[in-house]
Structures are given as C-alpha cells and as structure tokens.
Amino acid sequence: AQSVSQHNHHVILSEAASLELGCNYSYGGTVNLFWYVQYPGQHLQLLLKYFSGDPLVKGIKGFEAEFIKSKFSFNLRKPSVQWSDTAEYFCAVIVYGGATNKLIFGTGTLLAVQP
Amino acid sequence: DVKVTQSSRYLVKRTGEKVFLECVQDMDHENMFWYRQDPGLGLRLIYFSYDVKMKEKGDIPEGYSVSREKKERFSLILESASTNQTSMYLCASSLLAGGTGEQYFGPGTRLTVT
C-alpha cells in the first residue's frame, strides 16, 4: 500500500536556523507531491507542490522542496526560519486510480521556532 | 479563492448521540473528502465523494456514514457517537480533473464525545 513517512515528529529550532524536514513516499507510479502547513488555530493550507518539470519547487514564505525520484523523497527546506514558521507540516502524495484521486498524508512534523 | 466552510468549530456530544457534521464548498468542485486528524497519526481519510450521491470508503469508515445530496454540500454522520470518535474533523474539496489534485481544506470541527 502507498504510504508517506515523515521521520521528524517534533523539531525545535532557534530563529535564523536552517530547516530541513524529511519526507519519503512508497509509490512506484507517477506522483504529485505536496507540503501542507497548519499554523496554530488556522486551516490546513498548501505550502508548495510538485507536479512535473523542475524538481526544485519553490513555495510560499521562502520554503522550497526538492523531488528526488531515485530516493522517493520530497524534503522541505528553508534557509532561515522565523518564529512565525511555528506550525505543523504535512507531506502528502496523490494516488491516481479508481473514481478519483486521493491524497495520502504523512503523520506530520510539529515545528517550534524559539525567538 | 476557494472557500470550504464547516458548520461548527467546536462540538460536544454524548455517547450514543447521532452527530451531523456539515461541509460546504463554493468552487463547484466535484470531489469532497472527510478526514479525521489525531496527534501523531496525521490525517486519515474517512469517506470521499466524487459526485452527487456517489461515495466511497476511505481508510477508516467504520462508525461513520456520509451524504451528498447537492454538489456543494458533504455531510459526515456519526450514527452513534463513541468516545473514540473524539477528534478534529476536516473537510476538503478538489477538482476531479484538470488540476493537480490539490485539496482545499475547511477550518475543522473539534468534536468531543463524553
């Protein structure tokens, strides 16, 4: 069965530190990949997505992610985090087939940025 | 902007009650989804629907049912609420075709069953 693994469950960083959150998926076919973010008390919202083309994807708020097909990975990065990046981050892969497409989510990574 | 709204932000119900969670989207999306979100478990798909009156089970459908009588509205029903259904419930919608599969989420309903 398809799955998404996020190995970092809880990350604590100081402001200005660099961030990398790991995401690996198990799915042999064509993939669309997503990172969603949930700020405290807010909706889950899209941070960035990979559909095709350049494997280095840039999203909102200075985030980027690199799709490495050979490693089945889609790690999220930010060179310098801010206190406002404190949130929960979810990696997701879309599974095609059947009547419609479903997103498979990872278990999430809770990021706390200390001022 | 796509807007997905959910009828309640917080709900407290008693064990055995029938519970209705309502979701409405305003972007004419064909697909609608219900998830529950629990700490350490991420988002788990309960049910989804790709058309009016069409529904399919997700990964954890037990104890739940759904209804989609109109394209913009997708309801989650807990026939007889139990304490293990205490959770955050998220509704989402997406295009059936022509998009990248991106889902748009509502604000969530935090349900407590006592």
Side-chain angles (χ1 to χ4, degrees):
Chain A
Q2 297 87 358
S3 65
V4 176
S5 297
Q6 291 181 244
H7 305 294
N8 314 105
H9 298 294
H10 198 177
V11 173
I12 302 172
L13 294 173
S14 298
E15 276 195 314
S18 64
L19 170 72
E20 180 159 3
L21 301 182
C23 173
N24 289 91
Y25 63 93
S26 63
Y27 184 57
T30 302
V31 291
N32 287 3
L33 295 155
F34 304 82
W35 276 97
Y36 280 84
V37 60
Q38 190 172 35
Y39 298 103
Q42 293 190 27
H43 297 204
L44 201 65
Q45 59 184 285
L46 185 69
L47 197 57
L48 48 79
K49 61 188 175 188
Y50 171 77
F51 188 51
S52 63
D54 189 344
L56 186 62
V57 179
K58 295 195 184 298
I60 61 172
K61 303 188 180 185
F63 285 90
E64 65 179 30
E66 185 174 12
F67 170 51
I68 303 179
K69 190 174 182 180
S70 60
K71 294 185 178 180
F72 297 89
S73 70
F74 190 54
N75 292 354
L76 181 71
R77 300 195 293 248
K78 186 171 183 179
S80 176
V81 294
Q82 301 171 314
W83 177 78
S84 59
D85 294 325
T86 294
E88 191 160 18
Y89 294 81
F90 294 92
C91 182
V93 61
I94 198 161
V95 174
Y96 292 99
T100 192
N101 307 322
K102 296 190 293 184
L103 276 179
I104 308 295
F105 283 88
T107 53
T109 297
L110 205 54
L111 171 66
V113 180
Q114 297 174 333
Chain B
D1 276 353
V2 177
K3 192 168 183 183
V4 179
T5 56
Q6 295 182 230
S7 50
S8 307
R9 290 300 300 270
Y10 300 94
L11 211 51
V12 179
K13 295 292 181 181
R14 294 190 182 277
T15 301
E17 278 194 84
K18 190 168 186 176
V19 182
F20 292 87
L21 303 183
E22 305 285 341
C23 175
V24 177
Q25 50 94 5
D26 67 356
M27 280 301 290
D28 204 35
H29 284 173
E30 295 87 357
N31 293 334
M32 294 188 77
F33 306 83
W34 274 107
Y35 296 89
R36 63 178 284 177
Q37 182 182 7
D38 299 288
L41 297 178
L43 277 72
R44 293 179 291 166
L45 183 63
I46 304 171
Y47 265 97
F48 64 99
S49 168
Y50 53 90
D51 200 354
V52 175
K53 296 192 185 295
M54 304 304 289
K55 61 185 179 185
E56 285 203 21
K57 292 179 180 179
D59 301 317
I60 51 164
E62 296 78 18
Y64 304 94
S65 62
V66 291
S67 171
R68 192 154 180 213
E69 297 296 319
K70 293 184 178 181
K71 190 175 185 179
E72 67 272 17
R73 189 180 296 271
F74 191 37
S75 302
L76 180 70
I77 303 155
L78 286 67
E79 295 290 341
S80 177
S82 64
T83 54
N84 62 12
Q85 292 178 309
T86 291
S87 186
M88 172 70 89
Y89 289 88
L90 299 180
C91 176
S93 71
S94 71
L95 285 168
L96 180 61
T100 60
E102 175 184 350
Q103 292 184 13
Y104 298 84
F105 285 83
T109 296
R110 186 166 293 282
L111 173 67
T112 301
V113 182
T114 62

